[in-house]
Amino acid sequence: MAPASDQRYYPAPPIPSYDEAVAGGSWQQRQHDYPHSPVEYGRAAEGQSLLTSRHPFSSSSSPSTSNQHVGSGRRPGGYRAPTVETDDEGGLLSSDSETDSDTDAEADHVRREMQEMDIDDSGVHGEARGRSTWGKRIGFSLSLPQWRWRWRLPRIPFGRGRTTTGSGAEGAEPGQASGNSDNSRASWLAFPSLGSAALFLIVGRVLAILLVMGFLYLLFASDLFTNMARRMNNNMFDPIKVRNHVKMSIDPRSIRGLMQHYTGYAHIAGTEGDFALAEDTELMFRRFGLEDVTRDTYYVYLNYPKEGGRAVEILGGDGKPTWSAKLEEDDPGGEKAGHQTMAFHGHSKSGDVSGPLLYANYGTKDDYRRLKELGIDTQGAIALVRYGGQPSDRALKVKEAEKAGFAGCLIYSDPADDGFVKGDTAPNGPYMPADGVQRGAVSLMSYVVGDVLTPGWGSRQDQPRLKPEESPALPKIPSLPLAWRDAQILLQHIKEYGVKVPEGWAGGVPDIGQWWTGNSTSPTVRLKNEQDEVTKQPIWNVYGKIIGVEQPEKRIIIGNHRDSWGPGAADPHSGTAVMLELIRIFGDLLADGWRPLRTIEFMSWDGEEYNLIGSTEYVEQNDELLRNDGFAYINLDTAVTGSVLHAAGSPMFNRLLLEVLNDIQDPVFNGTSLRSRWDDRHGELEGLGAGSDYVAFQDIVGMSSLDLHFDGPAYPAHSSYETFDWMDQVGDPGFVYHTLLGQLVGRLILELADRPILPFDMAHYSNSLGKWISELEAWVGEQKSDKKPAGFSVQPLKDAHHDIVTSIREFNKWELSWEGSIISSGGFEPAGLGRKRCEYNARMARFETDLLDEAGIPNRTQFKHVVFGPQLESSYDEEYFPSIRDTIRADEWEAAGILVERVANIIKNAGRRLIE
Ligand SMILES: CC(=O)N[C@@H](CC(=O)O)C(=O)N[C@@H](CCC(=O)O)C(=O)O
């Protein structure tokens, strides 16, 4: 049960053992009363509101703390289809195919892990054995960087709230307490006669009591105990054991069950399925024990396909269709995979256009230019392009087609890039099958991030908005995604029109023979894309937290989106399942009295698939709070599609990541540590471009962010093949890498939220800055332009880097002196030193925020970080010093020179503020 926020100090029961956590904690207690989404109404619910009073998890049964609660009787507005279907008859966490051998293997696994945990299991048969043993052994220890010391505080004899010893007053009969007889009590109570020595004794005792009380008052007034008391409860938990406990408690069966639930039915942002899952998420957050669980509604621009609104046809001379594309996938999983959603592009333009068909390879700027060089007229034509290539953004393919004069754009998944040419296809392999379609947004996330009509401010209902035609992020020509099964027919029809394609343009679609470009005499293709467009569609983020005990206002945020184009097993529910499993475990710890030093927040974003909306609106709405108090953001999205770990993020995380990877073993690789696997492949922390919900945190409010995923060779992205069964059988059989990711993220959360000194890698930050400045200098040197001033130089940045190296070195000294004091005082931290440590942490976290430029990147001013941003012309990729590079690319050298100075000053100031 989550404690009330004003009651944070509990008698500290020890943390449960692995057995208890798995068998007796939330896992057992809660699976029977888990949220069952409206899908349990099955087909009867089809076409009806899922949010009627029949909904079992209506607000009336679970009071919401939501700031914008949407009552159970209220439907989410806007798009209703696709409806939801059920396959969750077995309940959320049931394991439908558990065999005896699975159970045995699990038991062995648990035994092994118990040994590794080094739990003192003496008294194993006693009722309170795990708890009392832990309680005795857990001292007041804190996690210093190398785990070298324990802090020592006087042990306070806490009552054990959840265990009884059998020998205390509870077990005694009234009147028999403490072994005092009635007689002795009577003589104690008898009033002494005047002048007796006893009177002096009483007066003396009263004076002594007053003296002691006065002394205690002074102690409390001096703040010494306040500081200690604040952390007392927390410090009954040995951080090392808490870390081991979290690591060992991640349960692949639980993760599997969670994924099964979230992938059971369609839930595109803003639809009924999405709303139902928002309610389930809210309920799960509550039941797992999170505090301040909130649903947060934004009103944003979304589009949805209409029944009969889409067509891709080859037209005959009479204008009538001679062939129509199927558009939708074959039903890959039937009822089990839920109803599939229509194939369309998020944020695509409505329209009904016809023109000659041209094939343009990957649809890059260069590809369209090449067509023109080949003498092919692109004006008013329909572009057929393939997914992939570089840049790979689907939005840029459409935008460049628009700029090249095309009337519409079709994007298909080619088997040479993502299909049978590469390997086995879904449902048996990772690649896209013949009928698989990659849905996805075509809004330009490197231009505008979040709701395309409210760039820069939170899209609350009453806020002003742009008109769709005013948004720089929206394309002006219609587009649709296609399976190669449909593209094949189109490609066959342009044979011998135009010219044979340039080298490298032929894809892997079978039975095409020679590939041709098409030309203005190609068969006419119609692209119809009439849709519902909603400017104020509600979407729902869900938040919950564990309030920190030392600095509750400082927060570590873990986020993952919930909306999905199809079942979403990989994107996003590999991340959802891991995040919820962590919430379950942290919820249990919280219920047992544990709290971190800083607040941990868990967030389920909506609308990520439409330009990262939910997270961006939240950040824009809470801009100041996050700049002041946001310490770190960890993102989980397409978290597991294979076994190779990738991490992208701020250099702040480098040391911590490597340290944690050392402590996690990969069972598939004979227990090799993730660190060894990382080193073997020369793993490096990659840069953050755009592509998921970290963007607003890193680039708008300067919160150091990290995105983590175990990748495979491919996954059937955004298609109806991204099912639970695919994940279960192909993506991550046994949910091994989900489990490892849970261990990794669990550890990172603990280190970030509960280490006395925030484990940020300032030294790596300054080294990385030096490297990126050198790269910028080399790049500038390569730029050829008549407008480039002869003496153009990035020297101001190099000078700023020099300053910052000194500032960071100076700043880091404090940590060493703090460690020295703690050692010399035997682990005791006086209140004043604790306050200084908190200030030190705040300065460290503020460093990234100080790297923001309020003016933003010219022409895309939402992005404010001077060091990082998405590449303008390749948004998935990172850009270092984006404002300077954008300006140079625009051939505006004078402005670039000013920006070099400006960015250098911002970096210098950030360094100075560390130590001033
Ligand atoms: C690079 C990529 O594929 N990103 C994934 C999610 C991830 O795990 O990073 C993705 O699908 N992102 C969305 C972003 C939403 C948008 O385009 O507006 C995508 O469609 O690329």
Side-chain angles (χ1 to χ4, degrees):
M1 175 89 186
S5 58
D6 59 346
Q7 192 198 342
R8 298 196 196 133
Y9 310 114
Y10 290 88
I15 59 178
S17 68
Y18 178 80
D19 278 332
E20 288 164 330
V22 171
S26 58
W27 163 257
Q28 281 294 21
Q29 278 165 20
R30 291 169 183 155
Q31 63 176 328
H32 301 300
D33 60 352
Y34 244 61
H36 289 269
S37 68
V39 295
E40 67 189 0
Y41 295 107
R43 285 216 172 272
E46 209 173 358
Q48 300 169 25
S49 170
L50 291 162
L51 307 167
T52 62
S53 54
R54 295 186 312 153
H55 192 295
F57 299 100
S58 62
S59 59
S60 55
S61 63
S62 65
S64 173
T65 55
S66 155
N67 64 345
Q68 299 201 4
H69 187 72
V70 181
S72 65
R74 199 184 127 187
R75 288 180 40 223
Y79 187 63
R80 295 190 60 209
T83 56
V84 293
E85 290 292 320
T86 183
D87 69 331
D88 74 343
E89 286 140 22
L92 173 57
L93 292 178
S94 63
S95 178
D96 63 2
S97 62
E98 232 175 58
T99 60
D100 285 345
S101 65
D102 282 340
T103 317
D104 289 343
E106 180 64 21
D108 283 339
H109 180 61
V110 170
R111 262 193 300 280
R112 264 198 318 279
E113 289 175 340
M114 288 289 287
Q115 283 156 10
E116 281 167 34
M117 283 171 76
D118 188 25
I119 294 173
D120 181 348
D121 237 349
S122 54
V124 73
H125 302 297
E127 204 259 307
R129 50 97 190 168
R131 297 184 181 276
S132 58
T133 306
W134 278 70
K136 279 178 200 139
R137 293 187 57 199
I138 297 171
F140 177 31
S141 56
L142 280 177
S143 49
L144 294 171
Q146 270 76 43
W147 302 89
R148 284 176 299 207
W149 309 287
R150 274 169 179 259
W151 281 19
R152 286 184 218 130
L153 275 184
R155 277 169 194 269
I156 306 274
F158 280 109
R160 303 236 169 258
R162 295 170 68 169
T163 56
T164 52
T165 61
S167 60
E170 270 181 294
E173 289 294 313
Q176 292 180 338
S178 310
N180 290 330
S181 72
D182 284 351
N183 286 346
S184 62
R185 193 181 303 143
S187 71
W188 169 249
L189 290 172
F191 198 79
S193 58
L194 266 182
S196 76
L199 187 59
F200 289 107
L201 205 60
I202 286 173
V203 172
R205 280 179 176 164
V206 167
L207 284 175
I209 287 168
L210 287 175
L211 203 68
V212 169
M213 282 173 69
F215 178 69
L216 285 176
Y217 172 79
L218 285 176
L219 265 184
F220 278 103
S222 75
D223 205 23
L224 173 68
F225 277 177
T226 320
N227 188 45
M228 279 163 52
R230 260 209 319 265
R231 295 200 304 261
M232 192 67 69
N233 190 40
N234 188 50
N235 291 320
M236 290 304 291
F237 293 87
D238 180 334
I240 297 174
K241 289 185 176 163
V242 171
R243 281 148 180 78
N244 274 335
H245 171 75
V246 169
K247 179 178 173 184
M248 296 309 171
S249 302
I250 311 283
D251 188 330
R253 294 168 306 171
S254 169
I255 294 175
R256 186 176 184 276
L258 287 160
M259 171 165 296
Q260 201 160 16
H261 182 76
Y262 274 82
T263 52
Y265 53 91
H267 49 287
I268 293 179
T271 63
E272 292 171 332
D274 178 36
F275 183 78
L277 280 183
E279 285 205 318
D280 284 359
T281 304
E282 196 178 332
L283 211 53
M284 275 194 245
F285 277 21
R286 285 214 176 85
R287 290 193 179 171
F288 284 155
L290 292 187
E291 300 166 284
D292 293 355
V293 175
T294 305
R295 193 187 311 157
D296 191 15
T297 307
Y298 293 96
Y299 297 81
V300 304
Y301 179 75
L302 298 183
N303 65 312
Y304 301 104
K306 278 202 253 201
E307 197 73 57
R310 293 154 308 132
V312 172
E313 296 165 342
I314 298 175
L315 302 181
D318 56 358
K320 296 224 166 80
T322 57
W323 171 84
S324 293
K326 283 189 183 164
L327 297 181
E328 316 304 352
E329 293 139 320
D330 303 337
D331 202 344
E335 282 301 293
K336 224 172 152 207
H339 265 196
Q340 58 191 73
T341 54
M342 296 181 198
F344 75 110
H345 279 150
H347 284 155
S348 62
K349 171 90 178 158
S350 280
D352 188 348
V353 292
S354 303
L357 183 71
L358 302 182
Y359 171 66
N361 195 28
Y362 290 113
T364 65
K365 192 194 281 189
D366 287 346
D367 291 333
Y368 296 128
R369 189 187 301 132
R370 187 88 178 94
L371 271 186
K372 288 188 179 170
E373 284 164 8
L374 291 168
I376 312 290
D377 182 8
T378 56
Q379 208 60 38
I382 303 295
L384 175 64
V385 302
R386 46 178 170 156
Y387 276 112
Q390 189 57 32
S392 59
D393 309 33
R394 67 182 85 73
L396 284 166
K397 294 174 195 288
V398 179
K399 191 72 196 167
E400 292 300 340
E402 175 193 316
K403 289 207 270 188
F406 284 92
C409 186
L410 298 166
I411 314 180
Y412 78 98
S413 302
D414 191 285
D417 303 296
D418 180 19
F420 70 86
V421 176
K422 290 273 203 175
D424 288 342
T425 57
N428 305 313
Y431 296 100
M432 198 71 108
D435 62 319
V437 184
Q438 185 191 132
R439 296 152 185 79
V442 290
S443 36
L444 291 153
M445 58 185 163
S446 56
Y447 286 41
V448 167
V449 66
D451 177 29
V452 292
L453 304 187
T454 61
W457 63 96
S459 49
R460 292 291 196 218
Q461 195 161 21
D462 53 353
Q463 287 300 299
R465 307 176 138 64
L466 304 177
K467 296 194 180 85
E469 56 276 20
E470 292 167 347
S471 173
L474 291 175
K476 295 190 169 48
I477 59 170
S479 67
L480 279 174
L482 286 182
W484 72 250
R485 169 203 59 191
D486 286 335
Q488 182 183 47
I489 308 295
L490 294 171
L491 287 162
Q492 285 167 345
H493 275 78
I494 54 172
K495 203 163 179 182
E496 301 193 358
Y497 289 93
V499 296
K500 284 183 200 157
V501 295
E503 202 186 329
W505 279 35
V509 179
D511 303 328
I512 302 297
Q514 285 173 337
W515 288 58
W516 289 71
T517 58
N519 64 11
S520 53
T521 65
S522 295
T524 301
V525 165
R526 175 186 186 200
L527 192 177
K528 178 173 121 174
N529 186 40
E530 298 295 0
Q531 8 174 41
D532 288 320
E533 284 157 358
V534 194
T535 47
K536 284 186 166 189
Q537 173 62 49
I539 59 162
W540 311 276
N541 291 339
V542 179
Y543 318 135
K545 60 173 78 151
I546 295 176
I547 297 167
V549 74
E550 184 179 64
Q551 283 184 291
E553 75 285 7
K554 301 297 179 195
R555 54 204 75 203
I556 309 300
I557 301 180
I558 296 86
N560 148 258
H561 72 96
R562 192 185 60 250
D563 64 303
S564 144
W565 292 122
D571 179 1
H573 297 311
S574 51
T576 311
V578 169
M579 183 171 89
L580 279 161
E581 176 64 354
L582 285 166
I583 293 173
R584 180 182 74 78
I585 293 161
F586 279 105
D588 279 354
L589 276 171
L590 180 66
D592 283 331
W594 174 87
R595 275 182 190 280
L597 295 177
R598 301 163 202 112
T599 293
I600 304 169
E601 297 197 335
F602 294 95
M603 305 202 155
S604 167
W605 307 120
D606 205 348
E608 186 268 359
E609 295 292 6
Y610 286 87
N611 212 32
L612 324 177
I613 302 181
S615 55
T616 308
E617 298 315 311
Y618 166 78
V619 167
E620 289 178 340
Q621 189 68 31
N622 296 280
D623 186 292
E624 204 179 317
L625 176 131
L626 294 170
R627 285 175 188 230
N628 290 334
D629 294 327
F631 271 12
Y633 175 71
I634 299 178
N635 191 61
L636 297 173
D637 186 344
T638 310
V640 182
T641 54
S643 67
V644 181
L645 179 68
H646 285 267
S650 161
M652 287 294 196
F653 294 101
N654 193 61
R655 191 185 62 216
L656 174 63
L657 181 70
L658 296 181
E659 184 187 310
V660 172
L661 292 183
N662 263 325
D663 289 345
I664 299 172
Q665 291 75 36
D666 186 336
V668 178
F669 287 77
N670 293 326
T672 311
S673 73
L674 289 184
R675 175 66 189 274
S676 299
R677 292 199 55 211
W678 176 269
D679 289 344
D680 287 349
R681 73 163 191 90
H682 306 292
E684 277 192 15
L685 193 57
E686 295 157 30
L688 285 176
S692 192
D693 291 306
Y694 45 78
V695 174
F697 287 94
Q698 182 70 50
D699 298 342
I700 296 182
V701 287
M703 255 176 92
S704 303
S705 301
L706 182 66
D707 186 49
L708 294 163
H709 34 106
F710 280 102
D711 289 348
Y715 68 103
H718 298 182
S719 78
S720 297
Y721 287 89
E722 224 193 276
T723 60
F724 168 77
D725 281 347
W726 179 86
M727 185 59 82
D728 201 30
Q729 286 150 31
V730 179
D732 188 20
F735 287 78
V736 176
Y737 289 96
H738 285 78
T739 305
L740 292 184
L741 189 67
Q743 294 183 356
L744 170 56
V745 177
R747 235 334 255 291
L748 291 172
I749 292 172
L750 283 168
E751 303 304 327
L752 290 163
D754 203 33
R755 260 202 206 175
I757 301 265
L758 196 59
F760 273 179
D761 196 344
M762 299 294 290
H764 188 70
Y765 210 112
S766 91
N767 291 343
S768 305
L769 274 177
K771 185 178 124 209
W772 297 326
I773 290 168
S774 300
E775 286 170 5
L776 178 70
E777 186 174 37
W779 179 82
V780 166
E782 287 162 16
Q783 304 309 303
K784 308 264 179 280
S785 166
D786 296 344
K787 292 195 195 161
K788 184 176 173 182
F792 190 89
S793 155
V794 298
Q795 190 58 41
L797 287 172
K798 291 163 97 176
D799 296 342
H801 180 245
H802 181 267
D803 280 15
I804 218 162
V805 169
T806 316
S807 308
I808 287 178
R809 201 173 290 144
E810 192 60 33
F811 179 73
N812 281 343
K813 282 182 190 162
W814 190 87
E815 187 171 339
L816 291 175
S817 74
W818 176 83
E819 283 179 23
S821 308
I822 298 300
I823 294 168
S824 60
S825 64
F828 177 74
E829 183 190 58
L833 189 61
R835 273 197 297 274
K836 280 198 180 140
R837 174 172 52 75
C838 291
E839 164 68 15
Y840 180 78
N841 287 335
R843 279 171 189 253
M844 193 156 28
R846 192 185 63 189
F847 177 75
E848 282 250 28
T849 313
D850 282 343
L851 292 174
L852 299 178
D853 181 349
E854 282 321 311
I857 304 176
N859 299 324
R860 43 181 185 141
T861 53
Q862 258 182 311
F863 301 94
K864 309 232 182 273
H865 204 292
V866 296
V867 184
F868 312 119
Q871 277 184 30
L872 185 62
E873 308 256 312
S874 181
S875 61
Y876 292 128
D877 297 313
E878 67 280 8
E879 185 88 287
Y880 299 111
F881 303 108
S883 56
I884 298 172
R885 288 187 191 245
D886 274 17
T887 314
I888 291 178
R889 286 205 181 91
D891 216 11
E892 293 179 15
W893 290 87
E894 198 186 333
I898 295 169
L899 275 169
V900 167
E901 293 280 357
R902 187 178 169 94
V903 170
N905 280 333
I906 287 170
I907 293 175
K908 263 190 206 168
N909 275 337
R912 196 172 307 130
R913 270 163 60 86
L914 280 173
I915 51 176
E916 74 190 4

